Amino acid sequence: MRRMLTASGVILGLVVCAVWGQNSTTHRNSFEVPKTFWLKASADAPYEVQAHISNDQGAHQGQRSEYLKFEAKEGRYIHYQYPVGKAPLTEELLGGLYLKSNRTNLQLLLRVVLPNEPDPANLQQKMTTLLRCDKYQNAGRWQYLDFGSPTKTAKDQQAILNKELGRSVNWAGAYVDSLFLNVYAGPGPTEVWIDDLEIMPVTQAGSVSVSDNTGKVVEVKPIPSVAKGKGMVDFTGNHLTVGGNRFFFRMIRHSDTPVSILKMAGFNTVLFQRYVAPDAIREASGHGMWIVPQLTALADDAKANSLENLNSEVNWYSEIDNTLFVHLGETLVHEQNAQVTRLTGALRRVDPGRAVSANVWDGLPNYSRTLNLVGMHRFPLMTTMELPKYREWLEKRRLLASPNVFMWTWIQTQLSDWHANLLYSQSANQQFLEPVGPQPEQIRLLTYTALAAGSRGLGFWSDRFLADTHHGRDRLLTCALLNQELEMLEPVLTQVEESPQWIDTTHKDVKAAVMRCDKSVLVLPMWLGKGAQFVPGQSAAAKLSLIVPQVPQSMQAWEVLPGEVRSLKIERVAGGSRITLPEFGVTTNVVFTSDLELVKRFQVHSHGQRQKAAQWTYDLAGYQYEKVLKIQEQLDKMGRSVPDAVQLLADTHKRLGTTQKYWENHQFAEAYREGQRALRPLRILMRAQWEEAVKELTSPVSSPYAVSYYTLPRHWNFADQVRGSREAGNLLATGDFESLSELPGQTWEVKEQALDDVMMSVLRVADIEQPMEIKKDGVPTSVGAPKQGKKCAMLQITPKKGAPAPQALERSVLSLRSPEVKLTPGSLVKISGWVRIPTAITATSDGALLYDSAGGEPLAIRLTEPTPWKEFIFFRRVPASGTISVTLALTGLGTAYFDDIQIHPLTPALAAVPVSQPKN
């Protein structure tokens, strides 16, 4: 498949990253300070300046850019100058800036000083000359103008000077002292925005001459590198601010992916661990990205880090100007709170004023009083935690913390180590030889779910393969597109104060979060259909309608996307304002507002990003097509195809061709939409293949390989092995709970963990106190008795007597673990059990759990809703330990019953026999 090869597509290739000496510095300016930096220089065209300001509308990154507006007459050049000091003219010289204008042919130039050559016009000064760099060609859009190859350009310029002067000009020691912009684009009005300038390496020394249109020369100091961190970052109340403006960080964990690629993908912050080479941090700083250093909260012996080590770690990042906040680590628990509190106090004495963050699992009430930013996360993909439950889990964690806490979360973008080991028998950090997940749509849904749960910043938990064609580039493109959307929405997201409100739409699987601020109402519709954490469905709908309550009549509705900003018709109906989206896919953004400046900002941003958004959407669909094609070829060879597979793949291929034609015709909004449509047939195909694989299983986690589309060939191989086996006798003698064994190694182990004010009990019961009736063939049937025999196990958690029922439990886990059964490592085993939930389990998103030690908690059955006796069957391969056990658990307020837990070895049979089916 032919690719569109454009400058905007450079994110798809490996970018050569510069390495410079440790004594060199990078000069950068993100123009976030409310002042101007560019100086008037010479011009041969008369012009009148109408505005030269620091502008907070339509910046390339962050909140501000430098803005110039003027009216020009006939001429050739109007120069503006940016003094930098001294940047040696060598092969290591790199840099550039982002520029946007309503006109084309503006040009970046470098002024080179020749220290060993006097100026023929003024022998008291050194000779200078201008080197021409990139020209601006994309009117109305941000374009990066870089230096190109300045040493090559210098050789060409040297030849011209030698010819003009009739002698050899001495270029020894040549250096760049200023950047110039020729902003002349012809007679008439011109607007110019300048942002994100960088040049490296630079020595801030001496003065720089600036000459105006009259020829008058003045000496000025070089503009200092404008540090983003010191004096600019503040944590006020519960808001992170940069330069006085609220800031939404889009952070990524540093891995082997080049920092330059991460920058182009739109990340504005990088988290670095202590062992990272300083060059990587300097590179991120050179790209104007924010830095979050991760310190060691606890030593290997689980004791708090020593003050000596803390000082050493603070020194590690103390020279980094653009530190956003410091991070104290992941998955901290209640028992570590006192140690972390002491460490945080010591840190604030050593580095006062710095915001402190950590990722917390429990102990949230105390941690949220100690930390400025509280991270809370879990990875629900390829587990039985449905996305609505994931959103509920995030909201419950926020409720457990102090009111209005600054909450943020990590977004899963990769296989966890646990899943990689189970599914592929390797680490997630090793190269994969076949397509792997997660799917791009899953990353998108996790991101929007986190936003809708009140996250005020996001981190993307990355592996080392994001820039790898086969393994991660579709995930990188997804992150890049998400970052475009987050950047557009930042002015609204950072102003939201109230908890999100959830509303239904005309499609049962599409829910919408409503988030309010002073001047706007943000609505985030998203597809939350069942099983999306395994394989999302089509995730698309035509003419999707929703009614948003309490929208002021003065507000208009806009769908806001990088590829297009379009108005939506509002119908005032009972219950609120109804809007209809002509076309919906996975997620979208709707903003109700009467703020025309905000709408203009959206439109300017979209106009500047739509070409890149169209390119990335096309490439994303192309990479996804190639991955699905490889899996589909394997399934076809196994005889496991589904109807319409060929037509669905052909539909995507055709839409990719249409997308390319739109793009070549510069119809970028249409290309963006068509690129999104190209992904839909692939989702339909993947979902159909997955549903075919799981239709005879009691749960998708019954087979470890049925949790992802990409592992379906492995699933069918595994299923064939199970079918070719026969079931031996049950090895778990006490799983019927009829009697208790006193023999060593034959008893069930009870564990209680609680931070909450609750009572826990585990009992063998003969009669269930809360009978439940179901109808079989229209005849009521009592299920008040145990499923098998006379007794079953009951797990129950209730509030303590007289205590109110909490909305959320922080850590309440009651578990019952079976004796271990010894089996041959690598052999197959069938594990089964029955569970019943009489009434809904509350204050938790996990509910009752049933899982085995080979599959672990990620492959657990999770139940929160009332359920009659229901059987669950797991097929597993015995791990290297040679043992298997089963865990029954309860994590919320309520009661769960378990019965007839069995473990059966599966041995090879001479002839294939049917797989055991669930009992009715």
Side-chain angles (χ1 to χ4, degrees):
M1 182 180 300
R2 185 164 67 91
R3 293 254 177 245
M4 296 180 284
L5 300 177
T6 68
S8 67
V10 73
I11 188 173
L12 305 180
L14 291 177
V15 177
V16 178
C17 302
V19 178
W20 53 92
Q22 291 188 356
N23 295 325
S24 304
T25 62
T26 300
H27 177 98
R28 61 184 178 277
N29 195 339
S30 57
F31 299 93
E32 294 293 324
V33 177
K35 61 176 287 188
T36 59
F37 295 89
W38 288 84
L39 308 173
K40 273 188 180 182
S42 57
D44 72 348
Y47 69 103
E48 179 182 351
V49 176
Q50 296 167 334
H52 186 188
I53 59 173
S54 172
N55 193 323
D56 63 357
Q57 300 295 318
H60 173 257
Q61 295 279 358
Q63 304 293 330
R64 292 179 175 274
S65 61
E66 189 156 332
Y67 173 73
L68 176 66
K69 182 178 181 181
F70 60 89
E71 183 90 21
K73 296 183 179 179
E74 288 288 348
R76 293 176 302 153
Y77 66 91
I78 299 172
H79 284 164
Y80 273 74
Q81 183 176 356
Y82 187 97
V84 296
K86 186 175 182 179
L89 185 61
T90 67
E91 293 287 348
E92 291 185 342
L93 181 64
L94 295 170
L97 54 82
Y98 279 90
L99 187 137
K100 183 174 71 172
S101 177
N102 64 328
R103 312 281 293 273
T104 60
N105 293 321
L106 289 73
Q107 189 166 29
L108 174 65
L109 306 101
L110 302 177
R111 187 169 78 173
V112 176
V113 178
L114 306 179
N116 297 303
E117 282 286 350
D119 185 347
N122 184 348
L123 298 179
Q124 302 301 315
Q125 295 186 351
K126 304 300 180 184
M127 180 185 292
T128 63
T129 186
L130 293 175
L131 304 183
R132 300 183 185 279
C133 303
D134 271 356
K135 272 191 174 183
Y136 179 77
Q137 301 295 353
N138 299 319
R141 297 188 292 272
W142 284 104
Q143 179 182 332
Y144 187 69
L145 306 182
D146 68 19
F147 298 168
S149 301
T151 52
K152 181 181 182 300
T153 308
K155 288 180 181 178
D156 297 339
Q157 185 68 10
Q158 184 178 15
I160 294 172
L161 290 177
N162 289 349
K163 185 175 181 179
E164 287 180 355
L165 298 176
R167 61 180 177 83
S168 179
V169 175
N170 186 353
W171 281 67
Y175 62 89
V176 172
D177 78 335
S178 298
L179 275 60
F180 274 70
L181 274 175
N182 180 9
V183 295
Y184 183 74
T190 301
E191 291 183 278
V192 184
W193 290 262
I194 308 164
D195 207 352
D196 291 334
L197 177 150
E198 60 186 6
I199 176 172
M200 61 190 87
V202 171
T203 301
Q204 300 286 351
S207 59
V208 178
S209 61
V210 178
S211 58
D212 60 19
N213 200 33
T214 65
K216 181 180 178 181
V217 177
V218 296
E219 297 295 318
V220 299
K221 291 183 178 181
I223 295 172
S225 183
V226 182
K228 295 179 79 172
K230 293 182 178 178
M232 290 192 67
V233 179
D234 193 15
F235 195 86
T236 304
N238 57 356
H239 294 286
L240 188 65
T241 63
V242 172
N245 297 306
R246 292 181 182 179
F247 182 74
F248 191 97
F249 62 83
R250 307 183 300 276
M251 180 168 67
I252 188 162
R253 187 176 66 110
H254 181 260
S255 60
D256 287 356
T257 305
V259 173
S260 55
I261 296 286
L262 301 178
K263 170 68 175 179
M264 283 187 287
F267 295 105
N268 58 19
T269 307
V270 186
L271 180 139
F272 286 101
Q273 293 180 306
R274 178 69 177 86
Y275 56 80
V276 172
D279 283 348
I281 299 175
R282 282 197 294 270
E283 184 184 1
S285 298
H287 284 294
M289 302 177 80
W290 292 99
I291 306 302
V292 173
Q294 179 168 320
L295 307 187
T296 305
L298 301 172
D300 292 337
D301 59 2
K303 294 182 179 179
N305 202 359
S306 68
L307 187 58
E308 181 181 357
N309 288 339
L310 179 64
N311 279 318
S312 173
E313 295 198 355
V314 170
N315 288 335
W316 160 56
Y317 72 83
S318 62
E319 298 303 317
I320 304 172
D321 290 335
N322 51 333
T323 299
L324 189 64
F325 55 85
V326 296
H327 188 59
L328 295 183
E330 306 299 324
T331 323
L332 300 180
V333 295
H334 166 77
E335 288 77 7
Q336 298 164 331
N337 178 257
Q339 295 166 309
V340 173
T341 298
R342 286 193 293 270
L343 177 67
T344 304
L347 177 60
R348 287 180 172 139
R349 290 190 294 273
V350 175
D351 187 13
R354 186 77 67 189
V356 182
S357 171
N359 212 275
V360 177
W361 182 256
D362 54 33
L364 283 157
N366 290 328
Y367 277 115
S368 58
R369 288 191 289 268
T370 301
L371 302 169
N372 301 107
L373 304 90
V374 177
M376 46 191 84
H377 85 278
R378 69 185 297 171
F379 291 161
L381 299 184
M382 292 175 278
T383 76
T384 50
M385 173 162 277
E386 299 284 349
L387 294 185
K389 287 294 181 182
Y390 169 61
R391 182 260 300 175
E392 181 183 296
W393 183 86
L394 286 172
E395 290 180 335
K396 287 183 185 299
R397 307 311 280 180
R398 182 166 52 82
L399 288 173
L400 289 166
S402 297
N404 297 317
V405 66
F406 187 108
M407 184 197 86
W408 66 277
T409 190
W410 287 108
I411 302 299
Q412 182 180 2
T413 69
Q414 66 179 78
L415 280 177
S416 66
D417 270 335
W418 190 93
H419 274 111
N421 286 324
L422 181 69
L423 302 180
Y424 299 95
S425 301
Q426 67 174 70
S427 166
N429 286 324
Q430 292 176 286
Q431 182 71 52
F432 287 84
L433 300 178
E434 57 190 282
V436 297
Q439 292 177 221
E441 292 85 356
Q442 292 175 317
I443 299 172
R444 170 170 290 278
L445 288 171
L446 291 183
T447 300
Y448 271 73
T449 302
L451 293 177
S455 290
R456 297 185 179 182
L458 293 176
F460 291 80
W461 191 264
S462 68
D463 58 20
R464 51 191 290 251
F465 300 109
L466 274 183
D468 175 77
T469 304
H470 193 65
H471 179 58
R473 203 164 292 179
D474 56 338
R475 296 182 284 123
L476 177 66
L477 287 163
T478 299
C479 292
L481 288 163
L482 284 167
N483 282 331
Q484 285 186 323
E485 295 168 41
L486 293 171
E487 186 178 358
M488 288 185 79
L489 296 175
E490 184 171 12
V492 181
L493 284 172
T494 55
Q495 300 301 317
V496 173
E497 297 290 353
E498 299 179 5
S499 297
Q501 173 188 4
W502 284 87
I503 60 174
D504 293 327
T505 71
T506 50
H507 195 292
K508 65 180 179 63
D509 289 328
V510 181
K511 307 298 179 184
V514 180
M515 307 163 77
R516 303 179 189 277
C517 54
D518 286 345
K519 297 182 179 180
S520 307
V521 177
L522 173 63
V523 183
L524 302 178
M526 62 195 78
W527 186 281
L528 295 177
K530 191 172 180 61
Q533 78 279 19
F534 297 117
V535 179
Q538 180 180 356
S539 308
K543 296 183 178 179
L544 179 76
S545 294
L546 55 154
I547 298 174
V548 184
Q550 299 176 346
V551 175
Q553 291 197 0
S554 61
M555 291 185 175
Q556 297 298 310
W558 302 84
E559 188 176 19
V560 179
L561 293 167
E564 185 179 19
V565 175
R566 58 183 176 184
S567 62
L568 299 171
K569 181 181 177 182
I570 298 178
E571 299 176 75
R572 308 294 176 181
V573 297
S577 301
R578 180 166 60 202
I579 56 169
T580 299
L581 298 165
E583 188 175 10
F584 169 82
V586 189
T587 67
T588 194
N589 314 301
V590 176
V591 177
F592 290 85
T593 187
S594 55
D595 185 348
L596 296 181
E597 287 299 316
L598 179 62
V599 175
K600 180 181 178 182
R601 177 169 181 159
F602 290 150
Q603 291 170 333
V604 168
H605 192 285
S606 177
H607 191 67
Q609 294 292 323
R610 64 179 55 167
Q611 179 179 352
K612 193 184 294 183
Q615 170 77 52
W616 290 347
T617 304
Y618 171 87
D619 286 335
L620 173 61
Y623 284 119
Q624 188 74 341
Y625 173 80
E626 292 167 2
K627 291 176 72 172
V628 171
L629 194 60
K630 288 179 181 178
I631 299 297
Q632 186 60 37
E633 287 172 352
Q634 295 180 51
L635 294 172
D636 287 341
K637 290 178 181 178
M638 301 171 74
R640 295 295 179 180
S641 189
V642 294
D644 300 328
V646 173
Q647 293 88 334
L648 289 167
L649 288 168
D651 189 4
T652 289
H653 192 274
K654 180 180 177 181
R655 289 185 183 279
L656 284 169
T658 305
T659 304
Q660 182 162 338
K661 289 179 182 178
Y662 279 136
W663 196 92
E664 289 171 346
N665 292 331
H666 290 228
Q667 295 172 275
F668 299 123
E670 290 83 355
Y672 175 77
R673 290 280 184 185
E674 190 66 14
Q676 292 180 325
R677 295 184 191 111
L679 286 162
R680 293 175 190 170
L682 299 179
R683 292 198 294 269
I684 295 172
L685 174 57
M686 288 189 282
R687 180 73 177 203
Q689 288 282 22
W690 178 74
E691 288 179 345
E692 179 66 21
V694 302
K695 70 180 183 181
E696 294 184 358
L697 301 176
T698 57
S699 167
V701 296
S702 294
S703 162
Y705 304 105
V707 296
S708 168
Y709 167 77
Y710 298 110
T711 54
L712 291 185
R714 291 173 179 259
H715 162 74
W716 287 117
N717 280 327
F718 182 73
D720 287 342
Q721 294 176 45
V722 171
R723 287 191 184 92
S725 302
R726 60 186 176 190
E727 185 178 308
N730 174 33
L731 298 182
L732 187 59
T734 57
D736 57 5
F737 304 106
E738 295 302 309
S739 62
L740 290 178
S741 174
E742 301 296 334
L743 297 175
Q746 292 296 311
T747 59
W748 286 71
E749 179 185 6
V750 177
K751 284 190 176 180
E752 297 183 6
Q753 302 180 57
L755 294 180
D756 310 286
D757 202 17
V758 295
M759 297 177 61
M760 298 182 172
S761 59
V762 178
L763 299 171
R764 284 190 308 131
V765 294
D767 294 311
I768 297 176
E769 296 177 357
Q770 296 170 293
M772 181 180 189
E773 287 192 351
I774 58 173
K775 288 188 177 181
K776 185 176 181 180
D777 299 326
V779 179
T781 303
S782 172
V783 291
K787 179 59 187 175
Q788 303 286 345
K790 297 180 178 181
K791 293 183 182 294
C792 64
M794 182 190 79
L795 279 64
Q796 189 173 72
I797 301 178
T798 59
K800 285 188 177 177
K801 190 173 182 179
Q807 287 184 279
L809 296 181
E810 187 165 19
R811 188 209 295 171
S812 291
V813 181
L814 176 62
S815 65
L816 187 60
R817 182 174 176 268
S818 79
E820 290 186 340
V821 171
K822 296 187 181 299
L823 294 160
T824 304
S827 63
L828 296 175
V829 63
K830 173 190 170 184
I831 302 158
S832 62
W834 291 80
V835 61
R836 183 198 152 199
I837 311 297
T839 57
I841 299 171
T842 61
T844 178
S845 301
D846 287 283
L849 285 78
L850 187 155
Y851 59 93
D852 62 279
S853 55
E857 182 271 337
L859 297 191
I861 298 297
R862 289 173 171 81
L863 296 170
T864 57
E865 297 305 311
T867 305
W869 281 114
K870 185 174 183 180
E871 186 181 27
F872 291 98
I873 298 174
F874 303 120
F875 297 102
R876 300 288 187 255
R877 197 173 296 282
V878 178
S881 65
T883 61
I884 290 281
S885 63
V886 179
T887 297
L888 319 173
L890 182 62
T891 65
L893 299 177
T895 305
Y897 298 95
F898 299 91
D899 202 1
D900 201 22
I901 311 300
Q902 300 185 17
I903 298 177
H904 293 267
L906 298 178
T907 59
L910 295 177
V913 295
V915 179
S916 298
Q917 297 298 312
K919 300 175 185 176
N920 294 321

